[in-house]
Amino acid sequence: MPEHVNEDERLLLAAGRGDLEAFTDLVNRHQAWAWRIAYRFFGESQNAEDVVQEAFLKLLQAAPRFDPRAAFRTYFYRIITRLCLDQARKKHPTYMDSLPDAPDPGPNAVDQIVHREMSLAVRAALDRLPPNQRMAIVLRYDEDLDYRGIAEALQISTKAVERLLSRARKRLRLLLPT
Amino acid sequence: MTACRKYRKQFSAYLDGELPSKKQVTLSDHLAICAACRRELAALEALGPALSRLKVAPPPTHLTSRIVATARRQQAERASGRSVRFWLTHMQSWSWGFKAAGAAAMLVVMLYFGQLTSTRGWLPGSQDKHNTMMTATNAAEGLEWFAPAPPGSLLSGYLAMAGQTLPSDGTHR
């Protein structure tokens, strides 16, 4: 095994040999950010849960063919973003009337209402974006990926990332009153 | 206004710090003199805090156990699938051997039943026994009428007058 292989790659290689303990460790290490991407993208738990599970199972299936020279995180970004986009293409977005999963924003009731209204507006605006633009926004704002990182995750050029983000912002600007 | 349109296309990359430095300088120069573009840029910049207002619910507590349980089940299914595939593959590669063995077995069975049902034995002396049996049968059932010179035929009368008998193969010398 090459020396530069870090813990994630080591665990994935072990999982590829059938070590389910290593796979469990991988799930525990990465489910939080996988969940964050899927939840931000769909805006609800059910699809997010299904996609995160599917992403880890796909990761396990692909593990025997994993090239340890590739970065685990980039590899997993590709899996999860593709699954999100596939799922979004299959299903039309649901415009939610409520956000039952959002945690309590603060002790003040007025603040809570304002926060809730604004969250609803942002969510509805995000849901109106085409899936690839929405995913680019999620990766840029929530994952803080640069254009190269987004390009690798979505397997497109950096120029295409620039166009996606530019169009997405333009649309959000129209949908969200400032 | 045409210049504004050109610069506004660069706003997104500018906000992300992905605009080449030369373009950054010219855009900054334009922003310094264009209030409309400054407002537009500020509105785009405000999207960041607006998007960050969206909270993310924590992942369900059962998520890890659900994923691992499904992985375990799939691994078991793949293992059983592999063993079935192993046998199917090997049976395919052994098919010529199976066919040859089957043909040999069939031949042995056919020969065995042929031996059982045959009226002619393979054992020494069985041919004489067979002939004796046939002669006795012919006599018992009056098959002498099918002989080369049946009783009462012209040939048998001629032969009787000449005091000769027909050889067993039916030829007259």
Side-chain angles (χ1 to χ4, degrees):
Chain A
M1 195 184 298
E3 271 183 26
H4 69 272
V5 171
N6 70 20
E7 184 64 4
D8 289 331
E9 282 92 40
R10 191 191 65 74
L11 287 171
L12 187 55
L13 289 170
R17 292 190 297 269
D19 182 351
L20 278 182
E21 292 302 315
F23 177 68
T24 309
D25 284 352
L26 267 181
V27 175
N28 284 326
R29 285 165 74 97
H30 298 287
Q31 67 154 307
W33 67 265
W35 169 262
R36 197 171 58 230
I37 292 172
Y39 189 90
R40 288 273 197 197
F41 182 79
F42 291 111
E44 49 89 24
S45 296
Q46 191 54 61
N47 273 321
E49 192 174 332
D50 290 347
V51 160
V52 170
Q53 168 167 319
E54 185 68 19
F56 276 108
L57 295 175
K58 281 217 179 301
L59 184 70
L60 182 61
Q61 275 174 24
R65 299 184 300 278
F66 176 71
D67 180 354
R69 287 170 300 179
F72 168 82
R73 215 173 164 96
T74 307
Y75 190 64
F76 197 39
Y77 267 132
R78 284 183 186 172
I79 293 176
I80 197 152
T81 55
R82 190 176 297 172
L83 285 172
C84 284
L85 293 174
D86 287 349
Q87 181 77 355
R89 284 185 194 114
K90 272 189 268 176
K91 279 181 123 177
H92 292 290
T94 51
Y95 301 107
M96 298 189 313
D97 294 328
S98 62
L99 290 171
D101 297 313
D104 188 359
N108 187 301
V110 177
D111 281 353
Q112 277 189 34
I113 293 166
V114 171
H115 181 95
R116 189 182 169 83
E117 290 301 313
M118 288 172 85
S119 294
L120 276 171
V122 173
R123 186 67 251 172
L126 265 181
D127 285 343
R128 281 174 192 274
L129 294 180
N132 53 356
Q133 289 182 19
R134 199 184 338 154
M135 183 53 84
I137 287 285
V138 168
L139 295 177
R140 178 73 198 103
Y141 283 101
D142 299 315
E143 294 302 302
D144 202 24
L145 292 187
D146 60 10
Y147 284 11
R148 196 174 160 198
I150 299 171
E152 281 177 353
L154 297 180
Q155 293 180 280
I156 55 176
S157 67
T158 50
K159 200 72 196 163
V161 173
E162 189 183 327
R163 279 196 295 272
L164 276 181
L165 284 170
S166 181
R167 284 176 195 156
R169 283 179 167 127
K170 211 174 189 175
R171 191 134 190 219
L172 287 174
R173 160 94 174 86
L174 294 172
L175 293 167
L176 290 171
T178 49
Chain B
M1 203 58 199
T2 314
C4 290
R5 198 176 299 148
K6 186 188 93 181
Y7 288 119
R8 285 180 188 191
K9 281 183 181 170
Q10 299 174 355
F11 280 178
S12 188
Y14 180 76
L15 287 173
D16 294 325
E18 299 267 354
L19 202 62
S21 54
K22 207 173 173 180
K23 283 185 177 178
Q24 259 184 49
V25 172
T26 53
L27 178 58
S28 298
D29 291 347
H30 174 75
L31 287 170
I33 56 161
C34 183
C37 280
R38 281 200 303 274
R39 276 196 303 275
E40 183 62 24
L41 184 65
L44 289 179
E45 211 165 2
L47 289 174
L51 288 166
S52 68
R53 276 190 207 109
L54 277 183
K55 300 296 177 195
V56 177
T61 49
H62 64 266
L63 187 57
T64 303
S65 55
R66 182 185 154 185
I67 293 168
V68 174
T70 311
R72 207 175 288 280
R73 198 185 62 238
Q74 286 187 353
Q75 200 180 51
E77 283 169 5
R78 271 198 298 276
S80 68
R82 265 200 302 273
S83 88
V84 169
R85 270 198 305 281
F86 171 84
W87 282 109
L88 285 175
T89 309
H90 284 77
M91 279 172 78
Q92 254 177 354
S93 63
W94 297 340
S95 65
W96 282 108
F98 280 128
K99 282 175 190 166
M106 184 78 83
L107 188 65
V108 168
V109 169
M110 283 167 68
L111 288 174
Y112 177 71
F113 279 102
Q115 160 71 9
L116 279 185
T117 55
S118 171
T119 51
R120 289 169 181 256
W122 288 352
L123 298 173
S126 61
Q127 186 68 42
D128 295 343
K129 188 181 171 188
H130 165 76
N131 287 346
T132 311
M133 283 170 68
M134 285 300 288
T135 309
T137 310
N138 285 353
E141 297 179 10
L143 293 181
E144 68 275 20
W145 291 102
F146 294 101
S153 68
L154 284 173
L155 180 58
S156 69
Y158 171 76
L159 289 171
M161 281 195 300
Q164 291 179 7
T165 55
L166 201 66
S168 61
D169 60 358
T171 54
H172 180 229
R173 279 178 222 133

